């Protein structure tokens, strides 16, 4: 903190720390705390139908009031007054029904999650791990090729070719995968799983390539030339020089790809069609938008968040890194 104030001065440093606090508290900590609290809150939640009916009543009330303001006839205004009173009374009764109930901590949502959703979560995490591993194997040589292309001034073309699919958006690419396999008709579950895994790899490919490329681009080429002069093979150069230097990019790419694949909504829902209900993220969305079971949805989202955090720590341990190492290595090669 003192270094920030020394570098940017008191006023600008205070502004920077205020922005960091807003980011950390408002965009990271607060949503996670709200999820955790909602997952252990008891009390009946308002149904989606009740909330939708209240929204329709409010729309009707606004429309009637606009009509009343534009009407000059006394009798017409009297009729509109009566209608406004009726709609207002109905809206108040519904507002009382959808008001947040008094809640006390309880584990009912987690009990239902344990009974019904753990296999779905385990399957989602396994598929995300598979997509991450395959992406890692595919993207390392692509990232290294992009580094080599920079010497031949082809880097812009390579990165543009990688970025074009991302510009299409996740939903559009998921639809493309679905239409590709749609003529095959009703597919078996293993084939659907392969389809979704392949789509997840293609959709999130750039999030693996870019961190690895950024790490490899900082490798001193003189180390590689010296190793070759000493007779090291290409495989040994990658194992002893490039992979250790690429460890921060490998870890970051793996964490990003895994989190995006595990929490992806559009890919499993669109690509798998009627099978989408068996996937974890669509299951959370269904509880929110269809059943109105926000407590169970919060428990599912909390479990997914914790699983992603645990596996992020595991990825750092696998590559023998700490969070501080990512920053220090970046500074060292900057």
């Amino acid at each position: 903190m003192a270094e920030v104030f020394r570098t940017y001065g008191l006023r600008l440093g205070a502004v920077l720390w205020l922005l960091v606090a807003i980011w950390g508290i408002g965009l990271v900590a607060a949503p996670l705390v709200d999820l955790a609290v909602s997952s252990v809150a008891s009390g009946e939640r308002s149904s989606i139908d009740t909330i939708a009916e209240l929204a329709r009543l409010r729309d009707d009330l606004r429309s009637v009031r606009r009509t009343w303001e534009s009407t000059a006839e006394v009798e017409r205004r009297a009729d509109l007054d009566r209608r406004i009173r009726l709609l207002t009374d109905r809206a108040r009764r519904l507002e009382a029904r959808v008001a947040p109930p008094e809640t006390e901590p309880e584990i009912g949502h987690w009990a239902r999650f344990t009974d019904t959703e753990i296999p779905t979560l385990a399957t989602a995490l396994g598929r995300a791990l598979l997509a991450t591993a395959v992406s890692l194997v595919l993207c390392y040589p692509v990232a290294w090729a992009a580094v080599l292309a920079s010497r031949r001034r082809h880097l812009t073309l390579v990165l543009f070719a990688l970025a074009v699919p991302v510009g299409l958006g996740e939903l559009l690419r998921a639809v493309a995968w679905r239409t590709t396999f749609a003529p095959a008709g009703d597919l078996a579950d293993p084939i659907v799983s392969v389809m979704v895994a392949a789509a997840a790899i293609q959709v999130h490919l750039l999030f693996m390539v870019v961190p690895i490329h950024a790490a490899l681009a900082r490798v001193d080429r003189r180390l590689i030339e010296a190793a070759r002069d000493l007779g090291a093979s290409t495989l040994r150069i990658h194992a002893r020089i490039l992979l250790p230097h690429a460890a921060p990019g490998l870890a970051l790419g793996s964490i990003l790809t895994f989190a995006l694949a595990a929490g992806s909504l559009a890919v499993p829902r669109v690509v798998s069609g009627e099978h989408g209900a068996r996937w974890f993220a669509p299951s959370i969305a269904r509880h929110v938008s269809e059943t109105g079971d926000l407590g169970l949805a919060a428990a599912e989202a909390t479990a997914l968040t914790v699983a992603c955090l645990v596996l992020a720590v595991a990825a750092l341990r696998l590559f023998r890194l700490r969070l501080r190492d990512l920053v220090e290595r970046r500074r060292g090669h900057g």
Side-chain angles (χ1 to χ4, degrees):
M1 180 179 291
E3 183 179 353
V4 172
F5 287 118
R6 284 195 301 268
T7 304
Y8 298 101
L10 182 60
R11 293 182 179 179
L12 183 56
V15 171
L16 291 176
W17 277 114
L18 177 62
L19 294 176
V20 171
I22 292 174
W23 174 273
I25 297 174
L27 301 180
V28 179
L32 294 180
V33 171
D34 181 67
L35 272 181
V37 171
S38 299
S39 68
V40 294
S42 64
E44 298 248 340
R45 293 283 183 173
S46 304
S47 69
I48 296 297
D49 292 339
T50 302
I51 296 174
E53 184 180 355
L54 179 59
R56 287 193 297 270
L57 275 176
R58 288 172 175 171
D59 290 339
D60 292 342
L61 190 56
R62 284 192 292 267
S63 177
V64 173
R65 283 173 176 168
R66 286 195 297 267
T67 304
W68 184 91
E69 292 173 356
S70 61
T71 300
E73 298 178 7
V74 177
E75 293 183 359
R76 175 64 174 161
R77 279 201 167 193
D79 291 338
L80 292 174
D81 282 333
R82 286 191 294 270
R83 181 166 175 76
I84 288 173
R85 286 194 296 271
L86 289 173
L87 290 175
T88 301
D89 291 340
R90 290 181 59 189
R92 287 174 180 171
R93 287 195 297 268
L94 285 179
E95 285 173 354
R97 290 172 56 186
V98 302
E102 296 293 329
T103 60
E104 295 180 357
E106 59 120 43
I107 60 172
H109 304 312
W110 284 101
R112 287 187 294 142
F113 167 77
T114 304
D115 292 339
T116 60
E117 302 297 335
I118 281 186
T120 307
L121 174 61
T123 302
L125 296 179
R127 288 164 174 162
L129 279 174
L130 176 62
T132 302
V134 174
S135 298
L136 195 63
V137 173
L138 292 177
C139 292
Y140 177 81
V142 173
W144 180 237
V147 172
L148 296 179
S150 64
R151 301 182 66 183
R152 299 189 296 269
R153 299 181 181 179
H154 295 155
L155 177 61
T156 302
L157 180 61
V158 172
L159 293 181
F160 179 76
L162 293 172
V164 164
V166 177
L168 297 177
E170 180 180 352
L171 179 60
L172 295 181
R173 285 176 285 163
V175 171
W177 277 92
R178 176 62 181 171
T179 55
T180 300
F181 288 92
D186 189 16
L187 300 175
D189 285 349
I191 299 177
V192 172
S193 297
V194 171
M195 288 169 50
V196 175
I201 293 170
Q202 189 268 335
V203 165
H204 305 123
L205 201 65
L206 193 65
F207 296 96
M208 181 71 79
V209 171
V210 170
I212 298 176
H213 173 268
L216 291 175
R218 296 194 296 267
V219 177
D220 192 341
R221 300 293 180 86
R222 292 173 295 182
L223 294 175
I224 300 174
E225 294 172 359
R228 284 177 178 160
D229 292 341
L230 294 174
S233 64
T234 300
L235 183 60
R236 194 174 185 84
I237 289 173
H238 279 275
R240 293 296 183 89
I241 298 177
L242 295 177
L243 281 174
H245 280 80
L250 296 171
L252 182 58
S254 299
I255 292 170
L256 289 174
T257 303
F258 176 83
L260 291 170
S264 178
L265 176 63
V267 170
R269 173 176 283 184
V270 174
V271 175
S272 62
E274 64 275 8
H275 299 265
R278 307 175 193 175
W279 297 76
F280 196 68
S283 174
I284 298 176
R286 186 178 67 254
H287 291 312
V288 172
S289 61
E290 297 179 10
T291 66
D293 196 346
L294 300 183
L296 180 57
E300 292 175 326
T302 302
L304 181 60
T305 302
V306 171
C308 290
L309 291 175
V310 169
L311 287 167
V313 174
L316 294 177
R317 292 292 182 89
L318 176 64
F319 293 103
R320 299 178 181 179
L321 295 171
R322 295 170 296 179
L323 287 176
R324 185 172 58 187
D325 294 333
L326 301 180
V327 178
E328 290 177 351
R329 294 196 180 199
R330 187 177 183 87
R331 288 179 177 174
H333 296 276

